[in-house]
């Protein structure tokens, strides 16, 4: 069976003498495994289409265990990401998030668009990368049904008061400080963090990419989101940001 799908290259591994083993991310089919035979030969027409981050139209044959790439038409290579180590690291981190959350054979149009828009914005010099990544994390969680609640108490539904709110990974977001709901993992979270998270959830990625956020506030939200991801996906230890300076 031959199918055509728009996809990003999440991962490209050397396979045999001149082939590439790919993990693709498709709007229609989610994660897909595919082999591109002969793609690493210097004169291969598929060489540009098997590079990480590449956005392309793929023609694929479905085999027993994986797809075989028959043709690639590149739409966007995102080459600027490879010229800046900092941006490259965060692009790789965004791939790790997609690999964690996306499912085999199940497309998600919103998540696919958010990923593409994030890579596009990362290529622009004026983009505030930290703000963009925080927004991307929250939007990806939302796309896959794990949006944290930053509006009201996740247990009783009451609106936030002016006092310091608390956050619970197990309860999916904010919880009241005035009532004992039995949540064991509550921790205080600043009002600044709540307002920033609300902004990211309510506005598009372009707005986030223009937002300058103090380093300490960004770090606090980063730690909160990473803890939330680890709780709901059991394990998350991204490798791409390990060598960046603190």
């Amino acid at each position: 069976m031959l199918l055509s799908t728009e996809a990003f290259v999440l991962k490209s591994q050397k396979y045999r003498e001149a082939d590439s083993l790919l993990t693709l991310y498709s709007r229609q089919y989610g994660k897909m495994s595919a082999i591109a035979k002969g793609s690493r030969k210097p004169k291969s027409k598929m060489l540009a289409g098997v590079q990480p981050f590449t956005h392309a139209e793929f023609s694929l044959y479905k085999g027993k265990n994986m797809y075989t790439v028959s043709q690639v038409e590149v739409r966007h290579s995102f080459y600027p990401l490879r010229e800046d180590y900092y941006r490259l690291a965060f692009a790789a981190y965004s791939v790790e998030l997609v690999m964690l959350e996306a499912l085999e054979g199940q497309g998600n149009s919103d998540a696919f668009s958010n990923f593409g828009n994030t890579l596009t914005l990362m290529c622009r010099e004026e983009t505030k990368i930290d703000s963009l990544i925080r927004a991307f994390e929250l939007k990806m969680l939302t796309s896959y049904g794990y949006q944290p609640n930053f509006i009201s108490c996740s247990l009783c539904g009451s609106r936030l008061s002016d006092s310091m709110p608390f956050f619970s990974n197990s309860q999916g977001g904010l919880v009241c400080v005035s009532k004992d709901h039995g949540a064991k993992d509550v921790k205080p979270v600043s009002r600044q963090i709540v307002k920033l998270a609300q902004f990211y959830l309510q506005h598009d990625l372009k707005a986030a990419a223009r937002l300058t956020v103090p380093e300490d506030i960004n770090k606090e939200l980063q730690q909160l989101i990473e803890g939330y991801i680890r709780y709901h996906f059991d394990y998350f230890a991204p490798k791409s940001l390990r060598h960046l300076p603190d």
Side-chain angles (χ1 to χ4, degrees):
M1 180 182 72
L2 177 66
L3 62 85
S4 180
T5 186
E6 176 188 2
F8 292 95
V9 178
L10 297 181
K11 189 175 182 179
S12 181
Q13 297 174 278
K14 294 180 180 179
Y15 185 70
R16 294 177 179 170
E17 186 175 346
D19 303 342
S20 298
L21 187 61
L22 307 177
T23 301
L24 303 178
Y25 183 47
S26 163
R27 185 187 295 275
Q28 301 101 312
Y29 306 105
K31 284 192 297 188
M32 309 172 73
S33 297
I35 185 169
K37 295 182 178 180
S39 58
R40 291 191 294 109
K41 293 180 179 179
K43 296 184 179 180
S44 172
K45 294 181 179 180
M46 289 192 288
L47 182 60
V50 299
Q51 304 305 312
F53 313 122
T54 297
H55 176 208
E57 189 73 27
F58 288 85
S59 294
L60 305 165
Y61 283 102
K62 184 173 177 57
K64 290 183 178 180
N65 299 314
M66 69 177 67
Y67 293 90
T68 298
V69 180
S70 63
Q71 188 174 343
V72 182
E73 183 180 342
V74 176
R75 294 188 178 184
H76 202 317
S77 66
F78 299 103
Y79 185 77
L81 296 176
R82 299 174 177 84
E83 297 181 310
D84 184 313
Y85 180 76
Y86 186 78
R87 293 171 191 272
L88 178 62
F90 278 100
Y93 172 70
S94 69
V95 166
E96 289 186 273
L97 282 174
V98 172
M99 292 282 283
L100 177 72
E101 298 182 24
L103 302 174
E104 296 274 355
Q106 295 185 30
N108 188 315
S109 185
D110 286 343
F112 183 91
S113 295
N114 284 329
F115 179 61
N117 290 336
T118 295
L119 294 184
T120 298
L121 289 164
M122 279 187 185
C123 291
R124 300 177 183 176
E125 291 186 7
E126 67 274 17
T127 290
K128 309 299 182 184
I129 298 295
D130 289 341
S131 296
L132 174 62
I133 287 296
R134 298 289 86 75
F136 176 66
E137 289 168 336
L138 288 170
K139 290 187 182 299
M140 287 297 287
L141 286 167
T142 299
S143 294
Y144 285 98
Y146 292 93
Q147 178 179 324
N149 178 4
F150 283 98
I151 301 298
S152 60
C153 176
S154 301
L155 290 166
C156 72
S158 61
R159 303 290 293 184
L160 293 178
S161 65
D162 292 333
S163 59
M164 178 82 74
F166 280 66
F167 189 92
S168 166
N169 291 325
S170 64
Q171 302 306 319
L174 299 178
V175 293
C176 294
V177 297
S178 59
K179 300 176 182 177
D180 180 10
H181 293 298
K184 304 295 185 182
D185 61 340
V186 293
K187 57 185 176 182
V189 58
S190 70
R191 296 287 298 184
Q192 288 174 297
I193 292 300
V194 172
K195 290 180 179 179
L196 182 59
Q198 289 173 349
F199 179 89
Y200 288 149
L201 288 167
Q202 293 167 5
H203 293 79
D204 62 20
L205 290 167
K206 288 183 180 180
R210 295 192 295 266
L211 190 65
T212 300
V213 177
E215 185 177 345
D216 60 328
I217 298 300
N218 172 70
K219 190 69 175 179
E220 184 181 348
L221 182 57
Q222 175 191 358
Q223 292 172 346
L224 185 147
I225 294 174
E226 286 184 358
Y228 185 84
I229 291 173
R230 288 192 188 97
Y231 180 87
H232 288 280
F233 290 89
D234 295 328
Y235 178 80
F236 183 53
K239 300 177 181 179
S240 50
L241 305 182
R242 287 180 180 175
H243 301 296
L244 288 179
D246 293 332

